[in-house]
Amino acid sequence: MLYNSTRGKDSGHSSAYVIKNGIAADGGLFVPETIPVLTKEMLDKLMGMNYAERAAEILGMFLTDYSAEELKKAADTAYSADRFGAVTTPISIAEGNSVLELWHGPTSAFKDMALQIMPHLLSLSLGKCGEEKDALILVATSGDTGKAALAGYADVPRVRIQVFYPSEGVSPVQKLQMATQDGGNVSVCGIKGNFDDAQSAVKRIFTSTEAAKKIDGEGLFFSSANSINWGRLAPQIVYYISAYLDMVAAGTVAMGDAINITVPTGNFGNILAAYIAKVMGLPVKTMVCASNQNNILTDFFTTGVYDKRRPFYTTSSPSMDILISSNLERLLYFTLGAEKCAALMKELNEKGIYTVDEETKARLAKDFAALYGDENDTAETIARYFKAGYLCDPHTAVALYCADKYKAESGDNTPMLVASTASPYKFPRAVLKAMGEDKGSSDFDCIDDLERLSGTRPPKALAELKNKAVRFEGVTDKADIDAKVYAFAAEKL
Ligand SMILES: *Cc1c(COP(=O)(O)O)cnc(C)c1O
């Protein structure tokens, strides 16, 4: 299977090439030229498999230049019990919703689902593409992506990874998670500035021919680990299909009957994976796009206007604080084709706003509903679900709020699967506050308080964090980011 750019000017690449390069030469995102079909026979076959086997099988439908053995070995390593626990993606039932817990991996956020296997796919791609240089992955992060990427790429041969985060813009737990990262091929830098400063610097360096030339001299090329890379998207399709089969096995739905899916959304990557599963033939009726106060997607789906010229809110669900949802570009491509998609992206770039016509809006409404919850709704939902016996993090709370609201407003009682994207222990203060229990103590005390109050156990890696040695200290000026990159590239590892 070959891959094309959403903007139509960079076509016909292998899956190894698109995973190695991340973004298309015309600035677009890579998409498969056709979406493979999930037949009834295939679903029956997957039913009898464990998670790693399902992953290898489904990825094989998209990554056709990887062998079945390569994918099986990668999936077995990535989704092993010592990384994810006995059940890779358990489903809890809470208030009538099936809650798909995607955060049982090494860094307690759903991004592990992709970032544990993607390094294997990248490593293999170097050989497949005849690439002689090693990859230097640059990441700008507001918290979760940085740690998940570090954990995935630590000590992976022929790859080095450097992460930049806003020194004052991540939680103390997130900061320590990154600063204590093991691995001989990793570098972590706090910067004086906000996430946008880190992001713009990384994007500028990533696309600079001068920078590329400089690191070429060190035998390196730049690659990316964020969700514009198809290597992040493809592994996310797997868990929707797997969860459906688990719901069938549990008797929540009969094979062939439809479910609805609610996804707490930021960059639109996770929910796009659900959409692709639906296009493949998974019985999904409606996908509910759940946003926080940064409700640009709610506005887009309900009015047809995408307008990023608006205030930015810092919320208790920071991984959804986003005004440019990059992966929406892929949905526009699948709905409108490359030419129109490219024109809309040009408008977004130049004017900060674009509008789709009524017909397009109506077509999107066949697959998607869009709702949002503000900070009050989020806190109330955490408290309400806790009373009902389920502890969730703020991102998941936004999704549960929107799922319940969708059900009440639409009267649609199709079984609802809700994606849960982070452990509540990753955001202990916000969760305690919602429960009326924040005593203003340190984040580590919050973890202990949450454990005591809820009777649940924190993930081992988070509980052990306070005893780990800090490896990366100090804060870099924005102006010195380039120098940091060149210094890391020049290091002999
Ligand atoms: C990244 C993230 C999201 C948003 O996922 P997208 O694919 O960007 O839409 C939601 N919740 C958590 C906890 C995340 O880390």
Side-chain angles (χ1 to χ4, degrees):
M1 177 182 302
L2 296 178
Y3 288 75
N4 300 332
S5 164
T6 47
R7 300 189 190 174
K9 299 220 163 68
D10 187 14
S11 303
H13 294 292
S14 69
S15 53
Y17 176 93
V18 309
I19 288 170
K20 181 172 88 68
N21 287 50
I23 193 160
D26 61 0
L29 310 188
F30 285 118
V31 283
E33 58 183 359
T34 53
I35 303 285
V37 177
L38 197 61
T39 59
K40 172 79 174 52
E41 291 67 39
M42 185 72 177
L43 278 174
D44 286 336
K45 182 177 167 200
L46 292 167
M47 191 79 194
M49 296 181 168
N50 66 24
Y51 192 86
E53 290 165 340
R54 287 173 180 172
E57 199 73 32
I58 295 161
L59 286 174
M61 298 166 83
F62 289 96
L63 312 182
T64 46
D65 48 337
Y66 290 70
S67 73
E69 293 70 37
E70 286 171 333
L71 293 173
K72 183 67 191 1
K73 188 160 166 247
D76 277 340
T77 314
Y79 302 117
S80 63
D82 59 304
R83 281 169 203 235
F84 278 88
V87 185
T88 309
T89 54
I91 295 177
S92 292
I93 305 294
E95 298 285 79
N97 294 308
S98 295
V99 187
L100 174 64
E101 295 177 358
L102 299 168
W103 43 262
H104 291 267
T107 76
S108 307
F110 94 96
K111 292 182 172 72
D112 288 330
M113 294 303 302
L115 282 166
Q116 282 296 309
I117 192 164
M118 190 181 167
H120 300 282
L121 304 177
L122 176 67
S123 262
L124 290 164
S125 78
L126 299 181
K128 289 179 192 299
C129 298
E131 176 65 63
E132 283 171 1
K133 287 171 280 176
D134 290 356
L136 170 52
I137 296 179
L138 292 185
V139 180
T141 182
S142 57
D144 286 342
T145 303
K147 178 61 187 181
L150 286 164
Y153 281 101
D155 290 329
V156 169
R158 298 196 55 197
V159 179
R160 56 179 86 184
I161 176 166
Q162 188 169 40
V163 172
F164 294 95
Y165 69 91
S167 167
E168 301 306 321
V170 301
S171 80
V173 169
Q174 288 176 318
K175 193 186 273 195
L176 254 192
Q177 273 191 307
M178 291 188 275
T180 56
Q181 176 65 46
D182 300 319
N185 63 339
V186 306
S187 163
V188 177
C189 306
I191 65 149
K192 283 183 205 150
N194 59 25
F195 170 66
D196 283 329
D197 297 325
Q199 166 112 312
S200 348
V202 162
K203 269 197 182 154
R204 177 176 49 72
I205 298 169
F206 195 79
T207 50
S208 144
T209 38
E210 196 200 320
K213 229 192 231 155
K214 273 201 175 153
I215 70 159
D216 184 273
E218 307 287 353
L220 295 166
F221 71 96
F222 289 121
S223 187
S224 83
N226 63 23
S227 66
I228 57 174
N229 192 316
W230 181 253
R232 272 280 296 275
L233 244 301
Q236 299 183 350
I237 301 167
V238 175
Y239 49 73
Y240 290 110
I241 298 172
S242 181
Y244 179 81
L245 297 172
D246 290 345
M247 288 173 80
V248 171
T252 314
V253 284
M255 183 67 107
D257 286 357
I259 59 168
N260 289 335
I261 300 177
T262 301
V263 185
T265 298
N267 220 0
F268 208 76
N270 202 1
I271 194 168
L272 188 88
Y275 170 80
I276 291 176
K278 174 175 179 167
V279 177
M280 289 174 79
L282 191 72
V284 179
K285 199 169 110 200
T286 299
M287 281 150 294
V288 178
C289 174
S291 300
N292 65 21
Q293 185 73 52
N294 294 296
N295 57 0
I296 188 164
L297 288 166
T298 321
D299 287 348
F300 170 66
F301 281 106
T302 49
T303 67
V305 181
Y306 194 97
D307 186 355
K308 71 162 185 174
R309 306 163 307 170
R310 59 171 68 211
F312 175 87
Y313 300 100
T314 303
T315 74
S316 57
S317 44
S319 299
M320 299 158 71
D321 292 344
I322 273 182
L323 292 184
I324 300 184
S325 296
S326 317
N327 273 291
L328 189 63
E329 176 166 354
R330 287 190 164 109
L331 180 65
L332 293 173
Y333 167 85
F334 287 124
T335 311
L336 294 167
E339 202 175 314
K340 281 193 180 144
C341 176
L344 293 177
M345 289 304 108
K346 189 155 177 270
E347 279 182 49
L348 183 63
N349 247 336
E350 288 170 2
K351 303 189 200 117
I353 179 172
Y354 63 79
T355 306
V356 297
D357 59 25
E358 281 301 316
E359 191 203 323
T360 306
K361 205 182 104 189
R363 275 182 64 194
L364 293 174
K366 286 205 174 114
D367 292 317
F368 292 94
L371 295 94
Y372 79 98
D374 63 20
E375 288 296 274
N376 262 335
D377 300 326
T378 308
E380 278 173 22
T381 304
I382 292 173
R384 177 163 66 87
Y385 271 77
F386 180 63
K387 278 207 188 86
Y390 189 72
L391 184 69
C392 70
D393 95 290
H395 303 78
T396 307
V398 170
L400 289 168
Y401 173 81
C402 293
D404 290 339
K405 191 171 181 198
Y406 168 77
K407 288 196 274 190
E409 284 180 354
S410 66
D412 180 352
N413 57 8
T414 306
M416 180 66 85
L417 182 72
V418 178
S420 172
T421 48
S423 160
Y425 285 94
K426 229 178 157 172
F427 303 93
R429 184 179 305 284
V431 174
L432 280 178
K433 206 168 155 206
M435 293 156 73
E437 298 280 353
D438 181 13
K439 299 198 181 62
S441 40
S442 80
D443 268 34
F444 286 112
D445 290 335
C446 288
I447 290 183
D448 294 340
D449 287 345
L450 194 56
E451 178 172 7
R452 210 170 28 250
L453 276 166
S454 68
T456 60
R457 297 301 307 273
K460 204 160 153 269
L462 290 183
E464 286 171 354
L465 205 51
K466 60 181 159 198
N467 304 321
K468 269 200 96 168
V470 170
R471 292 183 64 202
F472 300 99
E473 275 175 310
V475 182
T476 303
D477 270 327
K478 275 189 286 188
D480 296 334
I481 292 181
D482 300 63
K484 279 272 173 192
V485 172
Y486 299 139
F488 184 50
E491 262 179 47
K492 297 282 166 266
L493 300 185

